[in-house]
Each structure stands twice: as structure tokens, then as C-alpha cells.
Amino acid sequence: MEVNVNKEQKLVEVWLTNKDQSDAAVQCQLPPLFSKFKGLGYLIAVYHSGKDDLYRRTSDLLSYNRKRLAQLEIERERKLLN
């Protein structure tokens, strides 16, 4: 588990590996950590490691976003022409 505290943005990032997600000791540490920072007005973000190929999933996401942007541009142009 990795915990990053950003005091300026009042943000706590908790990074959990696959092993951390199934480790009872790590899971027991989370509620007190959340309570502590929530009481101080911090936003808490928890990131869980996945099991998929990061390169492939990122590539898929970028490809989808590019196609979606092109679709939105075409729709905008059609509206302008009508």
C-alpha cells in the first residue's frame, strides 16, 4: 500500500496492489486512515490495481476517445450546416 497526502489540495491517494487488496492486515488499516483524513476535510481516492494488460487497456481507451471526438465533431458540423 502506498499513501500520498497532498496538503495543498487536501487530497489523500491510497494505492493498493493486487496483494494489498486481499491482505486482511492492509484492509484493517484503511478505515482508521479514512476516518482520520475525512475528519480533517480531505478527499480520499483509493486506486486498485487491475489484472488486465495496462498497455492494451490504455490503447483501447485512447482509441475510443479519438473515435468519439471525431463523431462529436461530425455531429457539430452537421448542426452548423442545418
Side-chain angles (χ1 to χ4, degrees):
M1 175 172 64
E2 180 180 331
V3 179
N4 298 319
V5 179
N6 184 322
K7 292 180 182 178
E8 291 176 9
Q9 295 182 340
K10 294 198 91 162
L11 173 66
V12 177
E13 298 175 315
V14 180
W15 296 84
L16 300 173
T17 65
N18 285 322
K19 185 178 178 182
D20 293 336
Q21 293 174 54
S22 61
D23 185 333
V26 171
Q27 295 301 314
C28 288
Q29 294 173 13
L30 295 176
L33 180 75
F34 297 161
S35 294
K36 172 187 172 184
F37 283 102
K38 186 175 180 184
L40 296 172
Y42 279 71
L43 175 66
I44 302 163
V46 180
Y47 301 101
H48 298 263
S49 291
K51 295 179 173 85
D52 293 335
D53 178 7
L54 180 60
Y55 176 83
R56 179 71 181 142
R57 300 301 268 162
T58 303
S59 176
D60 290 346
L61 179 61
L62 292 171
S63 177
Y64 169 80
N65 287 342
R66 177 172 258 184
K67 288 177 188 175
R68 183 67 181 134
L69 181 60
Q71 289 172 339
L72 292 172
E73 287 177 12
I74 290 170
E75 288 174 16
R76 184 180 49 164
E77 288 176 11
R78 286 183 182 162
K79 287 181 182 178
L80 291 174
L81 293 175
N82 290 333

